[in-house]
Amino acid sequence: MTENTSGGASEPAKSPEPSGVDLARVALRAAKDAARARGDAAQQKKQARRGGLRSGARADGRDPMALGSAINRLITERGWEAPAAVGGVMGRWPQIVGEDVAKHCVPEKYDEDERVLTVRCDSTAWATNLRLLAPTLVARLNEDLGHGRVTLIKVQGPGGPARRYGPLRAPGSTGPGDTYG
């Protein structure tokens, strides 16, 4: 304690001002902390450039997963649920329409915007038969896929053989395409 010369009362002692050495220690500690923070960020950038951050002990989105889970995740992320479901229907076509119809009628394509399933039949008789069964088939498909996924079944008859043009064709002839359709 120091005595005050102006009066006889004593003042409490003030803590000493940091000297040059103490200031240097504080500044060094702050610089080390800042460098450590910058170093962590630089290390992460370097790892990202070299092929990505490494997976640690905790699970994250980069961990390996089963193929089925990966495909389901991809379908969900891209919004491919409806086309994938219709693709499944095309794979299960004989179970949905029956073996007899499946032998003669094959689904060709699905237009997602118009919700139309195109089916090709191997004869005009089967095409007519499938046109008669179309409302029942649409109901069965919507039961399987979800309401409103298929609004119309477009039935096509058999396609003729590829038209070949050669030396034995008469000019203007449509060839065997006249017979089919």
Side-chain angles (χ1 to χ4, degrees):
M1 286 191 174
T2 60
E3 286 186 25
N4 192 350
T5 55
S6 61
S10 65
E11 285 184 16
K14 291 182 181 178
S15 61
E17 294 283 325
S19 65
V21 174
D22 293 331
L23 286 174
R25 283 186 188 140
V26 170
L28 179 63
R29 187 175 306 131
K32 282 183 178 181
D33 290 341
R36 190 175 299 121
R38 279 194 315 271
D40 288 345
Q43 182 69 19
Q44 287 178 354
K45 286 181 185 176
K46 188 185 293 184
Q47 283 179 346
R49 272 185 269 138
R50 276 191 282 154
L53 300 172
R54 302 291 185 247
S55 181
R58 292 181 203 92
D60 65 3
R62 299 168 297 171
D63 287 342
M65 60 175 51
L67 181 62
S69 300
I71 290 173
N72 288 338
R73 181 174 161 187
L74 181 68
I75 288 172
T76 304
E77 287 175 355
R78 302 286 171 107
W80 295 340
E81 288 92 358
V86 173
V89 164
M90 291 185 179
R92 296 187 327 260
W93 184 251
Q95 290 85 17
I96 293 172
V97 298
E99 294 293 328
D100 290 338
V101 175
K103 287 179 188 175
H104 300 283
C105 303
V106 178
E108 283 193 339
K109 67 180 180 176
Y110 173 70
D111 184 4
E112 186 177 357
D113 297 331
E114 296 181 18
R115 300 183 187 266
V116 175
L117 179 67
T118 304
V119 179
R120 181 163 307 274
C121 298
D122 62 0
S123 70
T124 54
W126 275 103
T128 303
N129 189 20
L130 193 65
R131 285 186 190 103
L132 294 173
L133 292 173
T136 307
L137 193 55
V138 166
R140 193 178 301 168
L141 287 169
N142 284 328
E143 204 175 277
D144 192 17
L145 297 173
H147 184 68
R149 291 280 190 202
V150 178
T151 57
L152 179 70
I153 294 181
K154 186 176 178 182
V155 181
Q156 295 181 342
R163 295 186 183 174
R164 299 180 321 186
Y165 298 98
L168 300 178
R169 296 275 179 226
S173 168
T174 57
D178 292 336
T179 310
Y180 299 97

